[in-house]
Amino acid sequence: MLNSLEILETVKMIAEEHLDIRTVTMGISLLRCAGDDAKLVSDKVYDTITTQAEKLVETAENIETEYGIPIINKRISVTPAAMILGGRPSPRDFVLIAKALDRAAKTTGVNFIGGYSALVHKGMTNSDAALIASIPEALSVTDLVCSSVNVGTTRAGINMDAVAQMGRVIKETAEKTKERDGFGCAKLVVFCNAVEDNPFMAGAFCGVGEPDAVINVGVSGPGVVKCALEQVKGADFGVVAETIKKTAFKITRMGQLVAQEASRRLGVPFGIVDLSLAPTPAVGDSVAYILEEMGLETCGTHGTTAALALLNDAVKKGGVMASSYVGGLSGAFIPVSEDAGMIAATRAGALSLDKLEAMTCVCSVGLDMICVPGDTPAETISAIIADEAAIGMINNKTTAVRLIPAPGKKVGDTVEFGGLLGTGPVMAVNNCKSTDFIARGGRIPAPIHSLRN
């Protein structure tokens, strides 16, 4: 039985090492709202969310005060919106849904709401196609809505028609939010092997296998892990792995305490704890700094992928020993604009897009919060998505792309997003074209090892 005594040893971690609960996310099923009338569905969506999540923020704030544990974000994820509007909806119909989600998020007081999503890894319904077409407009007229599209899985392969379209959608979203340096793209993720219980934005949605409502908690502590490694300087990698595992265990126990307490108070089932080392722009709260503490001069140099693989594996091993319900994405995130060490490595020329792609083979998601020149062709963005989806498909892991083609910006410029989204140095992309490759369309078949039945 968990109690507050189990987190007393984390006081120093919280006070000095940036340990926090990154998010308490309530997943809400909107299947009960499904219908063909966009206005009626929108009204039901608003009512369902505001009723179910009425006390989410208040409850999280009370837990934060009583236990002294910082809870940085309170969020909501919902059923992929493409599933709740049937018939032959138009993109305009889905913008009504997006606005309802935004109003509900503001009414409940959460930081973000995720689930303006479509799952199109094997093909598109009329609703999927309309939602995807609506994304640029929806993200430009809302403040808190986050969107995601799943274009591939290990079992289905990669829907290259969807990949091609998402390149164009990302470009259009950047253009529609150009007065904010393409900020709409920071709320849009393209997935392969998306998971149903991810509490982190921008990719969170409440899967169809989830209950009517569920509490998922995301814990983060890069600074804690770095400080722990400072105590074992010069030790071999076995000691490094054990140190990370023990630290991850303590962090996960704290997350489970918060998750179970929120579940009890809200009368909503506890889902999972996502132990993801999600960095912030704050100095000392960086995944890159952990890798450098292992002995790398700077993140991005040779050895970075091996160091990240060790980190990701040790975090998972420590977490699963602390809770039977570790889920989501659990591991290490590498969002460039949100990590002070990665920002510095990029500016120093040590960290490139190609190296980041290699790192995504062994970390918890993919190419995340990366700014590229505003004139990057849509086909190039689609090809980057295809590469990342292929890594996920072949390795049976979740991968994702969150690129911001910053309008008017070129390599070496900086994009200021502020808050947790940080500062994005504009990175170079390969200038050789992928146009004919993307134009082929169709579906890349699933790999042979997907046939496991």
Side-chain angles (χ1 to χ4, degrees):
M1 187 71 178
L2 288 172
N3 58 66
S4 59
L5 293 177
E6 293 188 84
I7 65 166
L8 289 178
E9 64 178 324
T10 67
V11 170
K12 181 175 181 291
M13 298 178 184
I14 292 170
E16 302 176 17
E17 300 168 7
H18 302 283
L19 177 61
D20 58 56
I21 300 295
R22 186 55 51 86
T23 179
V24 173
T25 300
M26 177 180 282
I28 300 174
S29 172
L30 297 182
L31 294 177
R32 73 194 85 173
C33 305
D36 295 341
D37 185 316
K39 178 63 170 65
L40 183 59
V41 171
S42 296
D43 291 341
K44 289 181 179 179
V45 163
Y46 177 84
D47 291 341
T48 298
I49 294 171
T50 53
T51 299
Q52 189 69 67
E54 179 183 12
K55 296 184 178 179
L56 173 62
V57 172
E58 176 188 349
T59 299
E61 289 175 346
N62 288 341
I63 293 171
E64 184 177 16
T65 300
E66 291 175 29
Y67 287 92
I69 301 171
I71 300 175
I72 306 303
N73 290 290
K74 298 83 180 174
R75 297 166 171 167
I76 293 169
S77 65
V78 299
T79 305
M83 295 183 175
I84 64 172
L85 192 55
R88 299 190 67 85
S90 69
R92 184 176 300 177
D93 291 330
F94 273 106
V95 173
L96 285 178
I97 303 292
K99 290 179 177 178
L101 292 172
D102 202 47
R103 289 197 309 273
K106 291 173 179 176
T107 298
T108 56
V110 297
N111 304 95
F112 285 109
I113 185 166
Y116 195 72
S117 307
L119 310 179
V120 297
H121 39 275
K122 208 169 184 180
M124 290 190 198
T125 65
N126 292 327
S127 295
D128 292 327
L131 181 138
I132 291 173
S134 77
I135 287 173
E137 178 71 14
L139 295 185
S140 68
V141 299
T142 60
D143 298 312
L144 306 180
V145 172
C146 292
S147 180
S148 61
V149 176
N150 191 68
V151 298
T153 68
T154 297
R155 291 301 299 264
I158 303 171
N159 182 346
M160 290 299 292
D161 293 321
V163 168
Q165 185 172 358
M166 289 311 300
R168 298 189 292 270
V169 166
I170 289 170
K171 286 283 288 185
E172 187 179 348
T173 302
E175 183 62 26
K176 281 187 173 291
T177 56
K178 63 182 178 181
E179 73 285 354
R180 292 179 287 169
D181 289 326
F183 176 73
C185 297
K187 301 187 293 174
L188 173 60
V189 181
V190 184
F191 275 117
C192 178
N193 288 324
V195 298
E196 296 188 336
D197 55 4
N198 167 26
F200 286 97
M201 298 296 168
F205 62 86
C206 183
V208 295
E210 298 290 304
D212 285 334
V214 63
I215 290 292
N216 297 318
V217 166
V219 185
S220 183
V224 178
V225 175
K226 180 183 182 296
C227 288
L229 291 182
E230 288 174 356
Q231 307 306 310
V232 294
K233 285 185 181 294
D236 66 33
F237 285 115
V239 174
V240 170
E242 285 299 313
T243 301
I244 296 171
K245 282 166 55 180
K246 290 175 182 177
T247 305
F249 179 90
K250 296 172 186 177
I251 295 171
T252 307
R253 294 295 276 180
M254 185 188 77
Q256 179 151 312
L257 171 65
V258 170
Q260 291 185 331
E261 189 64 18
S263 170
R264 182 184 67 80
R265 296 185 187 194
L266 290 166
V268 172
F270 159 48
I272 57 92
V273 176
D274 185 321
L275 179 63
S276 288
L277 297 181
T280 73
V283 175
D285 197 27
S286 161
V287 169
Y289 290 162
I290 298 174
L291 306 181
E292 291 168 7
E293 186 61 37
M294 292 187 199
L296 304 175
E297 180 179 358
T298 187
C299 178
T301 190
H302 303 296
T304 298
T305 305
L308 183 59
L310 184 155
L311 173 64
N312 208 57
D313 180 65
V315 164
K316 293 177 187 290
K317 287 175 177 173
V320 298
M321 290 300 293
S323 172
S324 296
Y325 299 101
V326 170
L329 300 169
S330 292
F333 288 176
I334 53 171
V336 174
S337 78
E338 299 175 16
D339 188 304
M342 291 191 180
I343 293 170
T346 301
R347 286 176 171 161
L351 188 61
S352 67
L353 194 59
D354 289 341
K355 184 60 177 178
L356 283 164
E357 181 182 302
M359 293 165 66
T360 65
C361 296
V362 299
C363 77
S364 287
V365 190
L367 297 171
D368 196 12
M369 284 304 292
I370 296 173
C371 296
V372 296
D375 60 359
T376 302
E379 293 83 3
T380 298
I381 294 172
S382 294
I384 293 170
I385 292 170
D387 283 343
E388 203 55 34
I391 290 171
M393 176 184 71
I394 295 296
N395 291 289
N396 197 28
K397 71 183 292 291
T398 302
T399 53
V401 171
R402 186 163 46 150
L403 287 184
I404 300 98
K409 301 289 186 179
K410 61 183 184 302
V411 175
D413 289 343
T414 297
V415 179
E416 298 284 351
F417 293 116
L420 288 177
L421 296 178
T423 300
V426 178
M427 302 183 71
V429 300
N430 193 315
N431 289 324
C432 296
K433 295 181 179 179
S434 308
T435 307
D436 291 346
F437 176 76
I438 295 302
R440 287 181 178 273
R443 182 153 54 96
I444 293 179
I448 186 65
H449 61 254
S450 69
L451 303 176
R452 293 183 176 179
N453 289 343

